[in-house]
Coordinates of all heavy atoms in Angstrom, one line a residue:
L1 N 33.8 76.2 -37.7 CA 32.6 75.4 -37.4 C 32.9 74.4 -36.2 O 32.0 73.8 -35.7 CB 32.3 74.5 -38.6 CG 31.8 75.3 -39.9 CD1 31.4 74.3 -41.0 CD2 30.6 76.2 -39.6
G2 N 34.2 74.3 -35.8 CA 34.5 73.3 -34.8 C 34.4 71.9 -35.3 O 34.0 71.0 -34.6
H3 N 34.8 71.8 -36.6 CA 34.8 70.4 -37.2 C 36.1 69.8 -37.1 O 37.0 70.0 -37.9 CB 34.4 70.6 -38.7 CG 34.2 69.3 -39.4 ND1 35.1 69.0 -40.4 CD2 33.4 68.3 -39.3 CE1 34.8 67.8 -40.9 NE2 33.7 67.4 -40.3
F4 N 36.3 69.0 -36.1 CA 37.6 68.4 -35.8 C 37.5 66.8 -35.9 O 36.4 66.3 -35.6 CB 38.1 68.8 -34.4 CG 38.2 70.3 -34.3 CD1 37.4 71.0 -33.5 CD2 39.2 71.0 -35.0 CE1 37.5 72.4 -33.3 CE2 39.3 72.3 -34.9 CZ 38.5 73.0 -34.0
P5 N 38.6 66.2 -36.2 CA 39.9 66.7 -36.6 C 39.8 67.3 -38.0 O 39.0 66.9 -38.8 CB 40.8 65.5 -36.5 CG 39.9 64.4 -36.8 CD 38.6 64.7 -36.2
I6 N 40.7 68.3 -38.2 CA 40.8 69.0 -39.5 C 41.2 67.9 -40.5 O 42.1 67.1 -40.3 CB 41.8 70.1 -39.4 CG1 41.3 71.2 -38.5 CG2 42.1 70.7 -40.8 CD1 42.2 72.3 -38.2
R7 N 40.6 68.0 -41.7 CA 40.6 66.9 -42.7 C 42.1 66.5 -43.0 O 42.4 65.3 -43.0 CB 39.9 67.3 -43.9 CG 39.7 66.2 -44.9 CD 38.9 66.6 -46.1 NE 38.7 65.6 -47.1 CZ 37.8 64.6 -47.1 NH1 37.0 64.6 -46.0 NH2 37.7 63.7 -48.0
W8 N 42.9 67.5 -43.3 CA 44.2 67.1 -43.8 C 45.1 66.5 -42.7 O 46.1 65.8 -43.0 CB 45.0 68.2 -44.5 CG 45.1 69.5 -43.7 CD1 44.3 70.6 -43.7 CD2 46.2 69.8 -42.7 NE1 44.8 71.6 -42.8 CE2 45.9 71.1 -42.2 CE3 47.3 69.1 -42.3 CZ2 46.8 71.7 -41.3 CZ3 48.1 69.7 -41.3 CH2 47.9 71.0 -40.9
T9 N 44.8 66.7 -41.4 CA 45.5 66.0 -40.4 C 45.3 64.5 -40.3 O 46.1 63.8 -39.8 CB 45.2 66.7 -39.0 OG1 43.8 66.3 -38.7 CG2 45.4 68.2 -39.0
Q10 N 44.2 64.1 -40.9 CA 43.9 62.7 -41.0 C 44.3 62.1 -42.3 O 44.2 60.8 -42.5 CB 42.4 62.5 -40.7 CG 41.9 63.1 -39.5 CD 42.6 62.6 -38.2 OE1 42.6 61.4 -37.9 NE2 43.3 63.5 -37.5
H11 N 44.7 62.9 -43.2 CA 45.1 62.4 -44.5 C 46.5 63.1 -44.9 O 46.5 64.0 -45.7 CB 44.1 62.8 -45.6 CG 42.8 62.1 -45.4 ND1 42.5 60.8 -45.8 CD2 41.6 62.5 -44.7 CE1 41.3 60.4 -45.5 NE2 40.7 61.4 -44.8
P12 N 47.6 62.6 -44.3 CA 48.9 63.2 -44.6 C 49.2 63.2 -46.1 O 50.1 64.0 -46.5 CB 49.8 62.5 -43.7 CG 49.1 61.2 -43.3 CD 47.7 61.6 -43.3
E13 N 48.6 62.3 -46.8 CA 48.9 62.2 -48.2 C 48.5 63.5 -48.9 O 49.0 63.8 -50.0 CB 48.2 61.0 -48.9 CG 46.7 61.0 -48.8 CD 46.1 60.3 -47.5 OE1 46.9 60.2 -46.5 OE2 44.9 60.0 -47.5
Y14 N 47.5 64.2 -48.4 CA 47.1 65.5 -49.0 C 48.2 66.5 -48.9 O 48.5 67.2 -49.8 CB 45.9 66.0 -48.3 CG 44.6 65.3 -48.5 CD1 43.4 65.6 -47.8 CD2 44.5 64.2 -49.3 CE1 42.2 64.9 -48.0 CE2 43.3 63.4 -49.5 CZ 42.2 63.8 -48.8 OH 41.0 63.1 -49.0
I15 N 48.9 66.5 -47.8 CA 50.0 67.4 -47.6 C 51.1 67.1 -48.6 O 51.7 68.0 -49.2 CB 50.6 67.2 -46.1 CG1 49.5 67.5 -45.1 CG2 51.8 68.2 -45.9 CD1 49.9 67.2 -43.7
V16 N 51.5 65.8 -48.7 CA 52.5 65.4 -49.7 C 52.1 65.8 -51.1 O 52.9 66.3 -51.9 CB 52.7 63.8 -49.6 CG1 53.7 63.4 -50.7 CG2 53.2 63.4 -48.2
L17 N 50.8 65.6 -51.4 CA 50.3 65.9 -52.8 C 50.5 67.3 -53.1 O 51.0 67.7 -54.1 CB 48.8 65.4 -52.9 CG 48.1 65.8 -54.2 CD1 48.8 65.1 -55.4 CD2 46.7 65.4 -54.1
V18 N 50.0 68.2 -52.2 CA 50.0 69.6 -52.5 C 51.4 70.2 -52.5 O 51.7 71.1 -53.4 CB 49.0 70.4 -51.6 CG1 47.6 69.9 -51.7 CG2 49.5 70.4 -50.2
I19 N 52.2 69.8 -51.6 CA 53.6 70.3 -51.6 C 54.4 69.8 -52.8 O 55.1 70.5 -53.4 CB 54.3 70.0 -50.3 CG1 53.7 70.7 -49.1 CG2 55.8 70.3 -50.3 CD1 54.3 70.4 -47.7
S20 N 54.2 68.5 -53.1 CA 54.8 68.0 -54.3 C 54.4 68.7 -55.6 O 55.2 69.0 -56.5 CB 54.5 66.5 -54.5 OG 55.0 65.8 -53.4
A21 N 53.1 69.0 -55.7 CA 52.6 69.8 -56.8 C 53.2 71.1 -56.9 O 53.5 71.6 -58.0 CB 51.0 69.8 -56.8
G22 N 53.3 71.8 -55.7 CA 53.9 73.1 -55.7 C 55.4 73.1 -56.2 O 55.8 73.9 -57.0
L23 N 56.1 72.1 -55.7 CA 57.5 72.0 -56.0 C 57.7 71.6 -57.5 O 58.6 72.1 -58.2 CB 58.3 71.1 -55.1 CG 58.3 71.5 -53.6 CD1 59.0 70.4 -52.8 CD2 59.0 72.8 -53.5
L24 N 56.8 70.7 -58.0 CA 56.9 70.3 -59.4 C 56.7 71.5 -60.3 O 57.3 71.7 -61.4 CB 55.8 69.3 -59.7 CG 55.7 68.8 -61.1 CD1 57.0 68.2 -61.6 CD2 54.5 67.9 -61.3
T25 N 55.8 72.4 -59.8 CA 55.5 73.6 -60.6 C 56.8 74.5 -60.9 O 56.9 75.1 -61.9 CB 54.4 74.5 -59.9 OG1 53.3 73.7 -59.7 CG2 54.1 75.7 -60.7
T26 N 57.7 74.5 -59.9 CA 58.9 75.3 -60.1 C 59.7 74.7 -61.3 O 60.5 75.5 -61.9 CB 59.8 75.3 -58.8 OG1 60.2 74.0 -58.5 CG2 59.0 75.8 -57.7
V27 N 59.5 73.4 -61.6 CA 60.3 72.8 -62.7 C 59.6 73.0 -64.0 O 60.3 73.2 -65.0 CB 60.5 71.3 -62.4 CG1 61.2 70.6 -63.5 CG2 61.2 71.1 -61.0
I28 N 58.3 73.0 -64.0 CA 57.6 73.0 -65.3 C 56.9 74.3 -65.6 O 56.2 74.5 -66.5 CB 56.5 71.9 -65.4 CG1 55.5 72.1 -64.3 CG2 57.2 70.5 -65.2 CD1 54.3 71.1 -64.4
A29 N 57.2 75.3 -64.7 CA 56.5 76.6 -64.8 C 56.6 77.2 -66.2 O 55.6 77.8 -66.7 CB 57.0 77.6 -63.8
R30 N 57.7 77.1 -66.9 CA 57.9 77.7 -68.2 C 57.0 77.2 -69.3 O 56.8 77.8 -70.3 CB 59.4 77.6 -68.6 CG 59.8 76.2 -68.9 CD 61.3 76.1 -69.3 NE 62.1 76.3 -68.1 CZ 63.4 76.3 -68.1 NH1 64.1 76.1 -69.3 NH2 64.1 76.5 -67.0
Y31 N 56.5 76.0 -69.0 CA 55.6 75.4 -70.0 C 54.1 75.5 -69.7 O 53.3 75.2 -70.5 CB 55.9 73.9 -70.2 CG 57.4 73.6 -70.4 CD1 58.2 73.0 -69.4 CD2 58.0 73.9 -71.6 CE1 59.5 72.7 -69.5 CE2 59.4 73.7 -71.8 CZ 60.1 73.1 -70.7 OH 61.5 72.8 -70.9
M32 N 53.8 76.0 -68.5 CA 52.4 75.9 -68.0 C 51.5 76.9 -68.8 O 50.3 76.7 -68.7 CB 52.4 76.2 -66.5 CG 53.0 75.0 -65.8 SD 52.9 75.2 -64.0 CE 51.2 75.2 -63.7
H33 N 52.0 77.9 -69.4 CA 51.1 78.9 -70.1 C 50.4 78.2 -71.2 O 49.3 78.6 -71.7 CB 51.9 80.1 -70.6 CG 52.9 79.7 -71.7 ND1 54.1 79.2 -71.4 CD2 52.8 79.9 -73.1 CE1 54.8 79.0 -72.6 NE2 54.0 79.4 -73.6
H34 N 50.9 77.0 -71.7 CA 50.2 76.3 -72.8 C 49.0 75.6 -72.2 O 48.1 75.2 -73.0 CB 51.2 75.2 -73.4 CG 52.4 75.8 -74.0 ND1 52.3 76.6 -75.2 CD2 53.7 75.7 -73.7 CE1 53.5 77.0 -75.5 NE2 54.4 76.4 -74.7
L35 N 48.9 75.4 -70.9 CA 47.8 74.7 -70.3 C 46.8 75.7 -69.6 O 46.0 75.3 -68.8 CB 48.3 73.7 -69.3 CG 49.3 72.7 -69.8 CD1 49.8 71.8 -68.7 CD2 48.6 71.8 -70.8
K36 N 46.8 77.0 -70.0 CA 46.0 77.9 -69.3 C 44.6 77.6 -69.3 O 43.9 77.7 -68.3 CB 46.2 79.3 -69.9 CG 45.4 80.4 -69.3 CD 45.7 81.8 -69.9 CE 44.8 82.8 -69.2 NZ 45.1 84.2 -69.8
R37 N 44.0 77.2 -70.5 CA 42.6 76.9 -70.5 C 42.2 75.7 -69.7 O 41.2 75.6 -69.1 CB 42.2 76.7 -72.0 CG 42.3 77.9 -72.8 CD 41.7 77.7 -74.2 NE 41.8 78.9 -75.0 CZ 41.4 79.0 -76.3 NH1 40.9 77.9 -76.9 NH2 41.4 80.2 -76.9
V38 N 43.1 74.7 -69.7 CA 42.9 73.5 -68.9 C 42.8 73.9 -67.4 O 42.0 73.4 -66.7 CB 44.0 72.4 -69.1 CG1 43.8 71.2 -68.2 CG2 43.9 72.0 -70.6
F39 N 43.8 74.7 -67.0 CA 43.8 75.2 -65.6 C 42.6 75.9 -65.2 O 42.1 75.8 -64.1 CB 45.1 76.0 -65.4 CG 46.2 75.3 -64.8 CD1 46.9 74.3 -65.5 CD2 46.5 75.4 -63.4 CE1 48.0 73.6 -64.9 CE2 47.5 74.7 -62.8 CZ 48.3 73.8 -63.6
L40 N 42.1 76.8 -66.1 CA 40.9 77.5 -65.8 C 39.7 76.6 -65.6 O 38.9 76.8 -64.7 CB 40.6 78.5 -67.0 CG 41.5 79.7 -67.1 CD1 41.2 80.5 -68.3 CD2 41.4 80.6 -65.8
V41 N 39.6 75.6 -66.4 CA 38.5 74.6 -66.2 C 38.6 73.8 -64.9 O 37.7 73.7 -64.2 CB 38.4 73.6 -67.4 CG1 37.4 72.5 -67.2 CG2 38.1 74.4 -68.7
L42 N 39.8 73.4 -64.7 CA 40.1 72.6 -63.4 C 39.9 73.5 -62.2 O 39.4 73.0 -61.2 CB 41.5 72.0 -63.4 CG 41.8 70.9 -64.5 CD1 43.2 70.5 -64.4 CD2 40.9 69.7 -64.3
D43 N 40.3 74.7 -62.3 CA 40.1 75.7 -61.2 C 38.6 75.9 -60.9 O 38.2 75.9 -59.8 CB 40.8 77.0 -61.5 CG 40.6 78.0 -60.4 OD1 41.2 77.8 -59.3 OD2 39.8 79.0 -60.5

């Protein structure tokens, strides 16, 4: 669309949030199947 600046470039906290969430997942992945329904709703 030519919509600049791209949103996350103005909000570096979004980058920190998503990368932190991704890395946290590697630690808690074994327990996440218990939250499947919650994840489906949030998704």
